[in-house]
Amino acid sequence: MRDPAENAQLALLLEVSGTPKPGNVDRRREYEDLRFEQFMAGAVGALSGLRMAGDGEPIGAAFEQAVEGMSDQSGGNTQFGALLALVPLVRTAGTDQLTRESAESVVEATTVEDACDFYRAFEHVDVAVNDPPEGIDELDVRHGSDATEAIREQGTTLSDVMSLSADHDGVASEWISGFERSFGAAGWLLDDDGPVYKRASRAFLRLLASEPDTFVGIRNGEAAAIEATERAQAVLDGEEDPEELAAEFVERDINPGATADLTAAALFIALERGLEV
Amino acid sequence: MRDPAENAQLALLLEVSGTPKPGNVDRRREYEDLRFEQFMAGAVGALSGLRMAGDGEPIGAAFEQAVEGMSDQSGGNTQFGALLALVPLVRTAGTDQLTRESAESVVEATTVEDACDFYRAFEHVDVAVNDPPEGIDELDVRHGSDATEAIREQGTTLSDVMSLSADHDGVASEWISGFERSFGAAGWLLDDDGPVYKRASRAFLRLLASEPDTFVGIRNGEAAAIEATERAQAVLDGEEDPEELAAEFVERDINPGATADLTAAALFIALERGLEV
């Protein structure tokens, strides 16, 4: 029987193995500077931090450890966002029933120290992020641990940090909504049939079609994010070939990473609820 | 920094991610009843046993635990042979310099209890094996833990068991030769360049071309094993297309699994010696 940390590691591996997921690294596609094998190494390295989360250690420290371990490969950021979604879910599953309500309690219980450790995690790897909302420049995650003074002065918890980002970051908004979309997509995975790599592909497409990907928005602009959502819907409607779309998006470097992060979270919840591999 | 157990888990993941490896499950090919995603789950489940090996616990118990964890997926035997090759190497790396000589010492130090635990591992999963040599039917691994009485009476160590199988099992012969071919292929991996999935493919083809695969011999017969070796050489000589050969071998269910096991062992040694992912 896999424990929650092991199911989270498996979710990372199953997410990147799902294919086709247009624009993402998957079993069949990769970028020259971001390869499938680097996701394998990222998932191996992340386990020790996931285990801390499952064992009840502070969320921020567990996340920082997971990111540090994930970064022990040459591709850079492979699973930062997925780990940010997984860590509170693993904590929830390790200490309580895995429900939206208990996940919300875990988020609400985060502390100022958790926020400081979250900022430290950005020192291990380059992550594409937006400018912070006006007036709170001192909380820009790009300051890394230099931001901790401001965090402590203002008494900002990790849950507060996520609230500030929820309108422009797909993972932060999950933290604030009780992981609404992740639990929804877990239901799709469980209700679906066939191999997991196809279920993961379909769940990814449904998530992408339902909301523009915030990572595409940051890297490629809003128009590209809206296009990705419309074309995912076209695949679901049978009007586009997903393999061709996948090739095109990799060519254009349109990588819906936030949607992949939610797919990983959904796979974790589904595994905890009995999804068989 | 990954520890030896983590490098072994990564070696399992990189082995199955290497492509093309004609006849094996890889990123691009799988069997309906043995899928890529089941190898992901197998590698997740195997870690706790690999960790026991790295921490100095008995080899047989570590192997049995790794196999039990590996078996927690619906595909059956994904990495039994790879784990049999990896466990003594992880023990060696965890307690000593990882050299052929120190690996030989680890093998020589195995006990009767290690042999009993090795037999118990066969109760977790179906493994394709040959009939035992004439006159030692009571040591047939298919007896599982029923064989332990005979093992104890005869004082058979795990090293003795491997000696009995060395002439017809590619992994057992590694145990007896100080992992000669695994260390040799690790050198190829380190001397090669480019992404690891291509290096793994080339190392696999060179191993297959140099000696008939014993797993193919057992499942498909000697003629098929010799054919696989000759056609791997043809790929290396540029006379066959590896992708076409991979498709054909999967179609014919010719799966050079023992060669894949040695590729995993070679990847582990190379990772311990600095192969970057």
mmCIF file of all heavy atoms in Angstrom, chain B residues 82-123:
data_model
loop_
_atom_site.group_PDB
_atom_site.id
_atom_site.type_symbol
_atom_site.label_atom_id
_atom_site.label_comp_id
_atom_site.label_asym_id
_atom_site.label_seq_id
_atom_site.Cartn_x
_atom_site.Cartn_y
_atom_site.Cartn_z
ATOM 1 N N ALA B 82 15.595 -6.321 -12.547
ATOM 2 C CA ALA B 82 16.355 -5.081 -12.329
ATOM 3 C C ALA B 82 16.629 -4.901 -10.845
ATOM 4 O O ALA B 82 17.737 -4.511 -10.447
ATOM 5 C CB ALA B 82 15.591 -3.884 -12.893
ATOM 6 N N LEU B 83 15.641 -5.197 -10.010
ATOM 7 C CA LEU B 83 15.841 -5.068 -8.563
ATOM 8 C C LEU B 83 16.860 -6.079 -8.057
ATOM 9 O O LEU B 83 17.668 -5.775 -7.172
ATOM 10 C CB LEU B 83 14.503 -5.233 -7.827
ATOM 11 C CG LEU B 83 13.524 -4.072 -8.048
ATOM 12 C CD1 LEU B 83 12.146 -4.419 -7.486
ATOM 13 C CD2 LEU B 83 14.054 -2.786 -7.428
ATOM 14 N N LEU B 84 16.849 -7.271 -8.635
ATOM 15 C CA LEU B 84 17.825 -8.289 -8.225
ATOM 16 C C LEU B 84 19.255 -7.825 -8.541
ATOM 17 O O LEU B 84 20.187 -8.091 -7.787
ATOM 18 C CB LEU B 84 17.518 -9.618 -8.930
ATOM 19 C CG LEU B 84 18.334 -10.826 -8.507
ATOM 20 C CD1 LEU B 84 18.217 -11.071 -7.000
ATOM 21 C CD2 LEU B 84 17.908 -12.066 -9.291
ATOM 22 N N ALA B 85 19.399 -7.118 -9.661
ATOM 23 C CA ALA B 85 20.718 -6.566 -9.992
ATOM 24 C C ALA B 85 21.044 -5.351 -9.129
ATOM 25 O O ALA B 85 22.191 -5.147 -8.719
ATOM 26 C CB ALA B 85 20.769 -6.188 -11.478
ATOM 27 N N LEU B 86 20.032 -4.544 -8.832
ATOM 28 C CA LEU B 86 20.286 -3.269 -8.138
ATOM 29 C C LEU B 86 20.558 -3.438 -6.645
ATOM 30 O O LEU B 86 21.388 -2.711 -6.079
ATOM 31 C CB LEU B 86 19.086 -2.324 -8.319
ATOM 32 C CG LEU B 86 18.970 -1.658 -9.689
ATOM 33 C CD1 LEU B 86 17.606 -0.974 -9.831
ATOM 34 C CD2 LEU B 86 20.098 -0.640 -9.897
ATOM 35 N N VAL B 87 19.843 -4.371 -6.000
ATOM 36 C CA VAL B 87 19.935 -4.446 -4.534
ATOM 37 C C VAL B 87 21.380 -4.621 -4.032
ATOM 38 O O VAL B 87 21.829 -3.863 -3.161
ATOM 39 C CB VAL B 87 18.960 -5.508 -3.969
ATOM 40 C CG1 VAL B 87 19.337 -5.942 -2.565
ATOM 41 C CG2 VAL B 87 17.540 -4.931 -3.974
ATOM 42 N N PRO B 88 22.164 -5.573 -4.569
ATOM 43 C CA PRO B 88 23.550 -5.669 -4.073
ATOM 44 C C PRO B 88 24.395 -4.447 -4.448
ATOM 45 O O PRO B 88 25.313 -4.084 -3.694
ATOM 46 C CB PRO B 88 24.090 -6.942 -4.739
ATOM 47 C CG PRO B 88 23.160 -7.216 -5.879
ATOM 48 C CD PRO B 88 21.831 -6.659 -5.499
ATOM 49 N N LEU B 89 24.082 -3.814 -5.579
ATOM 50 C CA LEU B 89 24.846 -2.622 -5.970
ATOM 51 C C LEU B 89 24.528 -1.442 -5.054
ATOM 52 O O LEU B 89 25.413 -0.664 -4.691
ATOM 53 C CB LEU B 89 24.547 -2.263 -7.432
ATOM 54 C CG LEU B 89 25.045 -3.271 -8.474
ATOM 55 C CD1 LEU B 89 24.486 -2.934 -9.862
ATOM 56 C CD2 LEU B 89 26.582 -3.300 -8.513
ATOM 57 N N VAL B 90 23.248 -1.309 -4.666
ATOM 58 C CA VAL B 90 22.862 -0.233 -3.750
ATOM 59 C C VAL B 90 23.510 -0.462 -2.388
ATOM 60 O O VAL B 90 24.030 0.455 -1.756
ATOM 61 C CB VAL B 90 21.323 -0.151 -3.619
ATOM 62 C CG1 VAL B 90 20.918 0.790 -2.493
ATOM 63 C CG2 VAL B 90 20.711 0.303 -4.939
ATOM 64 N N ARG B 91 23.474 -1.723 -1.924
ATOM 65 C CA ARG B 91 24.156 -2.047 -0.673
ATOM 66 C C ARG B 91 25.635 -1.659 -0.759
ATOM 67 O O ARG B 91 26.187 -1.030 0.150
ATOM 68 C CB ARG B 91 24.025 -3.544 -0.374
ATOM 69 C CG ARG B 91 25.152 -4.121 0.502
ATOM 70 C CD ARG B 91 25.219 -3.449 1.868
ATOM 71 N NE ARG B 91 23.958 -3.614 2.532
ATOM 72 C CZ ARG B 91 23.583 -4.722 3.139
ATOM 73 N NH1 ARG B 91 24.416 -5.722 3.213
ATOM 74 N NH2 ARG B 91 22.415 -4.800 3.692
ATOM 75 N N THR B 92 26.282 -2.020 -1.859
ATOM 76 C CA THR B 92 27.708 -1.707 -2.022
ATOM 77 C C THR B 92 27.929 -0.197 -1.960
ATOM 78 O O THR B 92 28.798 0.293 -1.223
ATOM 79 C CB THR B 92 28.221 -2.254 -3.367
ATOM 80 O OG1 THR B 92 27.915 -3.648 -3.457
ATOM 81 C CG2 THR B 92 29.718 -2.073 -3.494
ATOM 82 N N ALA B 93 27.126 0.553 -2.724
ATOM 83 C CA ALA B 93 27.306 2.015 -2.767
ATOM 84 C C ALA B 93 26.984 2.644 -1.417
ATOM 85 O O ALA B 93 27.555 3.682 -1.053
ATOM 86 C CB ALA B 93 26.419 2.620 -3.856
ATOM 87 N N GLY B 94 26.071 2.023 -0.654
ATOM 88 C CA GLY B 94 25.664 2.603 0.622
ATOM 89 C C GLY B 94 26.677 2.375 1.731
ATOM 90 O O GLY B 94 26.651 3.082 2.744
ATOM 91 N N THR B 95 27.555 1.404 1.551
ATOM 92 C CA THR B 95 28.438 1.035 2.663
ATOM 93 C C THR B 95 29.919 1.047 2.287
ATOM 94 O O THR B 95 30.764 0.841 3.152
ATOM 95 C CB THR B 95 28.086 -0.383 3.179
ATOM 96 O OG1 THR B 95 28.144 -1.303 2.082
ATOM 97 C CG2 THR B 95 26.689 -0.407 3.781
ATOM 98 N N ASP B 96 30.229 1.289 0.998
ATOM 99 C CA ASP B 96 31.618 1.123 0.547
ATOM 100 C C ASP B 96 31.776 1.887 -0.772
ATOM 101 O O ASP B 96 30.833 2.476 -1.275
ATOM 102 C CB ASP B 96 31.875 -0.386 0.312
ATOM 103 C CG ASP B 96 33.360 -0.741 0.305
ATOM 104 O OD1 ASP B 96 34.196 0.180 0.277
ATOM 105 O OD2 ASP B 96 33.673 -1.948 0.319
ATOM 106 N N GLN B 97 32.986 1.910 -1.318
ATOM 107 C CA GLN B 97 33.184 2.390 -2.678
ATOM 108 C C GLN B 97 32.458 1.442 -3.635
ATOM 109 O O GLN B 97 32.525 0.233 -3.464
ATOM 110 C CB GLN B 97 34.682 2.373 -3.032
ATOM 111 C CG GLN B 97 35.496 3.413 -2.294
ATOM 112 C CD GLN B 97 35.301 4.803 -2.870
ATOM 113 O OE1 GLN B 97 35.112 4.950 -4.074
ATOM 114 N NE2 GLN B 97 35.316 5.810 -2.020
ATOM 115 N N LEU B 98 31.804 1.995 -4.651
ATOM 116 C CA LEU B 98 31.097 1.145 -5.615
ATOM 117 C C LEU B 98 32.077 0.654 -6.690
ATOM 118 O O LEU B 98 32.286 1.302 -7.715
ATOM 119 C CB LEU B 98 29.939 1.913 -6.257
ATOM 120 C CG LEU B 98 29.114 1.143 -7.292
ATOM 121 C CD1 LEU B 98 28.507 -0.115 -6.684
ATOM 122 C CD2 LEU B 98 28.019 2.023 -7.878
ATOM 123 N N THR B 99 32.706 -0.490 -6.402
ATOM 124 C CA THR B 99 33.624 -1.108 -7.369
ATOM 125 C C THR B 99 33.193 -2.549 -7.593
ATOM 126 O O THR B 99 32.392 -3.098 -6.817
ATOM 127 C CB THR B 99 35.075 -1.132 -6.833
ATOM 128 O OG1 THR B 99 35.102 -1.983 -5.659
ATOM 129 C CG2 THR B 99 35.551 0.263 -6.465
ATOM 130 N N ARG B 100 33.730 -3.174 -8.629
ATOM 131 C CA ARG B 100 33.415 -4.585 -8.875
ATOM 132 C C ARG B 100 33.861 -5.437 -7.689
ATOM 133 O O ARG B 100 33.163 -6.373 -7.288
ATOM 134 C CB ARG B 100 34.084 -5.068 -10.165
ATOM 135 C CG ARG B 100 33.408 -4.506 -11.414
ATOM 136 C CD ARG B 100 33.985 -5.127 -12.676
ATOM 137 N NE ARG B 100 33.841 -6.577 -12.670
ATOM 138 C CZ ARG B 100 34.491 -7.392 -13.486
ATOM 139 N NH1 ARG B 100 35.342 -6.906 -14.376
ATOM 140 N NH2 ARG B 100 34.300 -8.693 -13.421
ATOM 141 N N GLU B 101 35.024 -5.110 -7.132
ATOM 142 C CA GLU B 101 35.555 -5.911 -6.020
ATOM 143 C C GLU B 101 34.633 -5.817 -4.797
ATOM 144 O O GLU B 101 34.318 -6.837 -4.167
ATOM 145 C CB GLU B 101 36.965 -5.440 -5.644
ATOM 146 C CG GLU B 101 38.027 -5.726 -6.700
ATOM 147 C CD GLU B 101 37.824 -4.927 -7.995
ATOM 148 O OE1 GLU B 101 37.310 -3.778 -7.942
ATOM 149 O OE2 GLU B 101 38.160 -5.456 -9.082
ATOM 150 N N SER B 102 34.200 -4.598 -4.464
ATOM 151 C CA SER B 102 33.362 -4.476 -3.262
ATOM 152 C C SER B 102 31.984 -5.092 -3.516
ATOM 153 O O SER B 102 31.379 -5.666 -2.606
ATOM 154 C CB SER B 102 33.267 -3.019 -2.799
ATOM 155 O OG SER B 102 32.877 -2.182 -3.852
ATOM 156 N N ALA B 103 31.482 -5.026 -4.756
ATOM 157 C CA ALA B 103 30.207 -5.688 -5.063
ATOM 158 C C ALA B 103 30.353 -7.205 -4.914
ATOM 159 O O ALA B 103 29.445 -7.886 -4.421
ATOM 160 C CB ALA B 103 29.752 -5.329 -6.477
ATOM 161 N N GLU B 104 31.505 -7.727 -5.315
ATOM 162 C CA GLU B 104 31.758 -9.170 -5.136
ATOM 163 C C GLU B 104 31.752 -9.552 -3.658
ATOM 164 O O GLU B 104 31.224 -10.602 -3.289
ATOM 165 C CB GLU B 104 33.099 -9.567 -5.767
ATOM 166 C CG GLU B 104 32.975 -9.932 -7.236
ATOM 167 C CD GLU B 104 34.272 -10.480 -7.830
ATOM 168 O OE1 GLU B 104 35.339 -9.901 -7.537
ATOM 169 O OE2 GLU B 104 34.191 -11.474 -8.589
ATOM 170 N N SER B 105 32.328 -8.707 -2.829
ATOM 171 C CA SER B 105 32.337 -8.985 -1.388
ATOM 172 C C SER B 105 30.915 -9.015 -0.834
ATOM 173 O O SER B 105 30.592 -9.844 0.024
ATOM 174 C CB SER B 105 33.135 -7.912 -0.627
ATOM 175 O OG SER B 105 34.434 -7.839 -1.129
ATOM 176 N N VAL B 106 30.072 -8.095 -1.307
ATOM 177 C CA VAL B 106 28.683 -8.067 -0.855
ATOM 178 C C VAL B 106 27.985 -9.375 -1.238
ATOM 179 O O VAL B 106 27.258 -9.973 -0.432
ATOM 180 C CB VAL B 106 27.937 -6.839 -1.449
ATOM 181 C CG1 VAL B 106 26.431 -6.994 -1.325
ATOM 182 C CG2 VAL B 106 28.410 -5.565 -0.759
ATOM 183 N N VAL B 107 28.212 -9.828 -2.467
ATOM 184 C CA VAL B 107 27.598 -11.079 -2.922
ATOM 185 C C VAL B 107 28.100 -12.249 -2.073
ATOM 186 O O VAL B 107 27.307 -13.096 -1.620
ATOM 187 C CB VAL B 107 27.908 -11.314 -4.422
ATOM 188 C CG1 VAL B 107 27.575 -12.752 -4.825
ATOM 189 C CG2 VAL B 107 27.152 -10.301 -5.282
ATOM 190 N N GLU B 108 29.410 -12.283 -1.838
ATOM 191 C CA GLU B 108 29.989 -13.410 -1.082
ATOM 192 C C GLU B 108 29.477 -13.465 0.358
ATOM 193 O O GLU B 108 29.433 -14.529 0.962
ATOM 194 C CB GLU B 108 31.522 -13.315 -1.080
ATOM 195 C CG GLU B 108 32.123 -13.831 -2.390
ATOM 196 C CD GLU B 108 33.557 -13.343 -2.597
ATOM 197 O OE1 GLU B 108 34.181 -12.880 -1.620
ATOM 198 O OE2 GLU B 108 34.019 -13.417 -3.759
ATOM 199 N N ALA B 109 29.101 -12.318 0.896
ATOM 200 C CA ALA B 109 28.654 -12.269 2.295
ATOM 201 C C ALA B 109 27.180 -12.637 2.465
ATOM 202 O O ALA B 109 26.685 -12.651 3.590
ATOM 203 C CB ALA B 109 28.906 -10.863 2.855
ATOM 204 N N THR B 110 26.482 -12.945 1.385
ATOM 205 C CA THR B 110 25.061 -13.271 1.541
ATOM 206 C C THR B 110 24.906 -14.600 2.276
ATOM 207 O O THR B 110 25.786 -15.458 2.241
ATOM 208 C CB THR B 110 24.324 -13.347 0.184
ATOM 209 O OG1 THR B 110 24.962 -14.330 -0.634
ATOM 210 C CG2 THR B 110 24.308 -11.995 -0.506
ATOM 211 N N THR B 111 23.756 -14.755 2.919
ATOM 212 C CA THR B 111 23.539 -15.865 3.862
ATOM 213 C C THR B 111 22.391 -16.775 3.412
ATOM 214 O O THR B 111 21.727 -16.526 2.400
ATOM 215 C CB THR B 111 23.141 -15.293 5.237
ATOM 216 O OG1 THR B 111 21.868 -14.628 5.073
ATOM 217 C CG2 THR B 111 24.183 -14.301 5.751
ATOM 218 N N VAL B 112 22.203 -17.827 4.204
ATOM 219 C CA VAL B 112 21.075 -18.735 4.002
ATOM 220 C C VAL B 112 19.750 -17.973 4.188
ATOM 221 O O VAL B 112 18.797 -18.177 3.427
ATOM 222 C CB VAL B 112 21.170 -19.919 4.988
ATOM 223 C CG1 VAL B 112 19.899 -20.774 4.945
ATOM 224 C CG2 VAL B 112 22.403 -20.778 4.673
ATOM 225 N N GLU B 113 19.703 -17.073 5.164
ATOM 226 C CA GLU B 113 18.473 -16.289 5.367
ATOM 227 C C GLU B 113 18.177 -15.400 4.160
ATOM 228 O O GLU B 113 17.017 -15.200 3.790
ATOM 229 C CB GLU B 113 18.564 -15.442 6.647
ATOM 230 C CG GLU B 113 18.232 -16.207 7.913
ATOM 231 C CD GLU B 113 16.958 -17.041 7.800
ATOM 232 O OE1 GLU B 113 15.896 -16.495 7.472
ATOM 233 O OE2 GLU B 113 17.053 -18.277 8.012
ATOM 234 N N ASP B 114 19.242 -14.848 3.548
ATOM 235 C CA ASP B 114 19.044 -14.061 2.327
ATOM 236 C C ASP B 114 18.414 -14.931 1.237
ATOM 237 O O ASP B 114 17.522 -14.481 0.502
ATOM 238 C CB ASP B 114 20.379 -13.502 1.815
ATOM 239 C CG ASP B 114 20.932 -12.390 2.696
ATOM 240 O OD1 ASP B 114 20.126 -11.597 3.225
ATOM 241 O OD2 ASP B 114 22.173 -12.315 2.838
ATOM 242 N N ALA B 115 18.886 -16.177 1.144
ATOM 243 C CA ALA B 115 18.325 -17.092 0.137
ATOM 244 C C ALA B 115 16.847 -17.349 0.423
ATOM 245 O O ALA B 115 16.013 -17.341 -0.491
ATOM 246 C CB ALA B 115 19.115 -18.409 0.114
ATOM 247 N N CYS B 116 16.499 -17.555 1.691
ATOM 248 C CA CYS B 116 15.088 -17.804 2.043
ATOM 249 C C CYS B 116 14.214 -16.605 1.665
ATOM 250 O O CYS B 116 13.119 -16.765 1.119
ATOM 251 C CB CYS B 116 14.963 -18.091 3.543
ATOM 252 S SG CYS B 116 15.714 -19.669 4.025
ATOM 253 N N ASP B 117 14.715 -15.396 1.951
ATOM 254 C CA ASP B 117 13.938 -14.196 1.608
ATOM 255 C C ASP B 117 13.820 -14.027 0.095
ATOM 256 O O ASP B 117 12.785 -13.572 -0.411
ATOM 257 C CB ASP B 117 14.579 -12.950 2.233
ATOM 258 C CG ASP B 117 14.316 -12.877 3.733
ATOM 259 O OD1 ASP B 117 13.248 -13.345 4.165
ATOM 260 O OD2 ASP B 117 15.174 -12.351 4.461
ATOM 261 N N PHE B 118 14.872 -14.379 -0.629
ATOM 262 C CA PHE B 118 14.825 -14.325 -2.090
ATOM 263 C C PHE B 118 13.704 -15.233 -2.604
ATOM 264 O O PHE B 118 12.910 -14.845 -3.464
ATOM 265 C CB PHE B 118 16.180 -14.759 -2.663
ATOM 266 C CG PHE B 118 16.182 -14.994 -4.147
ATOM 267 C CD1 PHE B 118 16.127 -13.921 -5.037
ATOM 268 C CD2 PHE B 118 16.252 -16.286 -4.669
ATOM 269 C CE1 PHE B 118 16.136 -14.139 -6.416
ATOM 270 C CE2 PHE B 118 16.269 -16.512 -6.044
ATOM 271 C CZ PHE B 118 16.204 -15.435 -6.914
ATOM 272 N N TYR B 119 13.603 -16.435 -2.063
ATOM 273 C CA TYR B 119 12.535 -17.344 -2.490
ATOM 274 C C TYR B 119 11.160 -16.786 -2.138
ATOM 275 O O TYR B 119 10.202 -16.919 -2.909
ATOM 276 C CB TYR B 119 12.738 -18.735 -1.874
ATOM 277 C CG TYR B 119 13.682 -19.595 -2.690
ATOM 278 C CD1 TYR B 119 15.048 -19.321 -2.730
ATOM 279 C CD2 TYR B 119 13.206 -20.661 -3.447
ATOM 280 C CE1 TYR B 119 15.920 -20.078 -3.489
ATOM 281 C CE2 TYR B 119 14.075 -21.438 -4.216
ATOM 282 C CZ TYR B 119 15.426 -21.135 -4.230
ATOM 283 O OH TYR B 119 16.274 -21.891 -4.990
ATOM 284 N N ARG B 120 11.069 -16.149 -0.965
ATOM 285 C CA ARG B 120 9.778 -15.549 -0.579
ATOM 286 C C ARG B 120 9.343 -14.472 -1.562
ATOM 287 O O ARG B 120 8.148 -14.254 -1.768
ATOM 288 C CB ARG B 120 9.881 -14.922 0.821
ATOM 289 C CG ARG B 120 9.736 -15.934 1.931
ATOM 290 C CD ARG B 120 9.592 -15.273 3.306
ATOM 291 N NE ARG B 120 9.969 -16.271 4.303
ATOM 292 C CZ ARG B 120 11.145 -16.296 4.929
ATOM 293 N NH1 ARG B 120 12.047 -15.345 4.717
ATOM 294 N NH2 ARG B 120 11.418 -17.271 5.777
ATOM 295 N N ALA B 121 10.315 -13.782 -2.177
ATOM 296 C CA ALA B 121 9.972 -12.687 -3.112
ATOM 297 C C ALA B 121 9.151 -13.197 -4.289
ATOM 298 O O ALA B 121 8.332 -12.469 -4.846
ATOM 299 C CB ALA B 121 11.248 -12.002 -3.610
ATOM 300 N N PHE B 122 9.353 -14.483 -4.650
ATOM 301 C CA PHE B 122 8.604 -15.044 -5.774
ATOM 302 C C PHE B 122 7.118 -15.204 -5.468
ATOM 303 O O PHE B 122 6.324 -15.455 -6.372
ATOM 304 C CB PHE B 122 9.194 -16.397 -6.200
ATOM 305 C CG PHE B 122 10.475 -16.267 -6.962
ATOM 306 C CD1 PHE B 122 11.687 -16.205 -6.290
ATOM 307 C CD2 PHE B 122 10.475 -16.178 -8.344
ATOM 308 C CE1 PHE B 122 12.878 -16.075 -6.989
ATOM 309 C CE2 PHE B 122 11.665 -16.056 -9.050
ATOM 310 C CZ PHE B 122 12.872 -15.996 -8.370
ATOM 311 N N GLU B 123 6.746 -15.078 -4.202
ATOM 312 C CA GLU B 123 5.324 -15.195 -3.862
ATOM 313 C C GLU B 123 4.557 -13.911 -4.138
ATOM 314 O O GLU B 123 3.331 -13.905 -4.141
ATOM 315 C CB GLU B 123 5.179 -15.587 -2.391
ATOM 316 C CG GLU B 123 5.870 -16.921 -2.134
ATOM 317 C CD GLU B 123 5.535 -17.530 -0.794
ATOM 318 O OE1 GLU B 123 5.078 -16.800 0.090
ATOM 319 O OE2 GLU B 123 5.738 -18.754 -0.665
#
